[in-house]
Amino acid sequence: MSWMASARHGVREAPAGLALVQDLLNTRATMHYGADLLLNADDAQRWLTEALGTWARVSGLPAPTLLISSTDLRSLRRLRTTFENVILAAGKQEFDGALPPADVPVSLVPDADGWVRMVPTGRGTRWLASALWAEALLAQQAGLWPRLKLCHNVDCRAAFFDTSRNNSGVWHDVSTCGNTANLRAFRERKRLMGGSGSQPPSVSGPPPTFR
């Protein structure tokens, strides 16, 4: 099941509803993968409609039809930045500013089998924020949250789901962002040594997290 923004990066999708958080993060423009999907209302509307349709199929819950305004665009970008900072904080990386409270409602609804489900509530982008925070909490309870990461290449920052056994992945793709960072570090060492040095080594590690 494809999520529009994450598919641009070729990353492995996070499981279940956590992929909605990942897809929001991957709306940001990075490197050569495409434009920011939250810069204009048409792109944002297309992304949101597809993302909520996919979320509804994954979660088994209905999703409302949300229509994007210019004010909503600013709210969506702020929400994306907030989740970026939460992910960075979870990974012990630096982020800008303090983490604000979520300040969103959810409903707890028992189903026919007696299981209590967390159901997003609210209107407009408030409903989307409710869904995103609910999925983040559910992912934490399932032990999945620490595996949703931002690529350590600051020019990329693609959100990827780390499937390595010891949760040690730092690049969304070792062959691109990993080698780019390795080459940058090699050149800096060479500069500090006055231009001497051998050929830059290649990054070794687990295979890229492509689907």
Side-chain angles (χ1 to χ4, degrees):
M1 189 170 293
S2 177
W3 294 79
M4 176 180 171
S6 294
R8 301 186 304 167
H9 302 274
V11 293
R12 184 179 296 277
E13 295 165 0
L18 181 58
L20 179 63
V21 180
Q22 180 186 21
D23 214 54
L24 172 68
L25 295 169
N26 281 331
T27 58
R28 186 180 291 280
T30 56
M31 299 174 69
H32 58 277
Y33 300 115
D36 191 322
L37 298 179
L38 301 184
L39 276 184
N40 66 72
D42 287 342
D43 286 344
Q45 187 67 66
R46 179 168 174 258
W47 168 75
L48 185 58
T49 299
E50 291 195 15
L52 292 187
T54 304
W55 176 85
R57 291 190 294 273
V58 168
S59 67
L61 295 172
T65 299
L66 303 184
L67 300 179
I68 297 297
S69 67
S70 57
T71 301
D72 293 330
L73 283 176
R74 292 190 292 271
S75 297
L76 287 174
R77 291 194 293 266
R78 285 196 299 269
L79 190 59
R80 179 177 64 188
T81 298
T82 296
F83 273 98
E84 287 172 344
N85 288 337
V86 173
I87 294 292
L88 291 173
K92 310 303 180 185
Q93 296 173 256
E94 295 182 2
F95 61 93
D96 298 325
L99 295 174
D103 190 28
V104 292
V106 295
S107 294
L108 300 177
V109 180
D111 63 19
D113 297 321
W115 291 94
V116 178
R117 303 197 68 177
M118 192 181 305
V119 179
T121 60
R123 297 174 63 86
T125 55
R126 291 274 294 170
W127 181 94
L128 179 62
S130 177
L132 289 161
W133 285 112
E135 293 297 353
L137 179 59
L138 291 172
Q140 289 184 357
Q141 293 173 334
L144 299 174
W145 185 252
R147 291 188 174 273
L148 183 60
K149 301 178 179 181
L150 298 179
C151 181
H152 275 214
N153 181 353
V154 295
D155 296 323
C156 174
R157 285 300 196 215
F160 67 100
F161 188 75
D162 186 3
T163 58
S164 64
R165 180 173 298 180
N166 59 353
N167 195 25
S168 60
V170 295
W171 316 110
H172 94 282
D173 179 7
V174 173
S175 65
T176 56
C177 289
N179 277 331
T180 297
N182 192 62
L183 180 59
R184 186 182 299 121
F186 168 79
R187 287 173 175 167
E188 178 62 16
R189 289 195 302 270
K190 186 175 180 180
R191 184 187 67 80
L192 295 174
M193 295 172 63
S196 62
S198 59
Q199 293 294 318
S202 297
V203 170
S204 61
T209 55
F210 287 111
R211 286 179 59 83

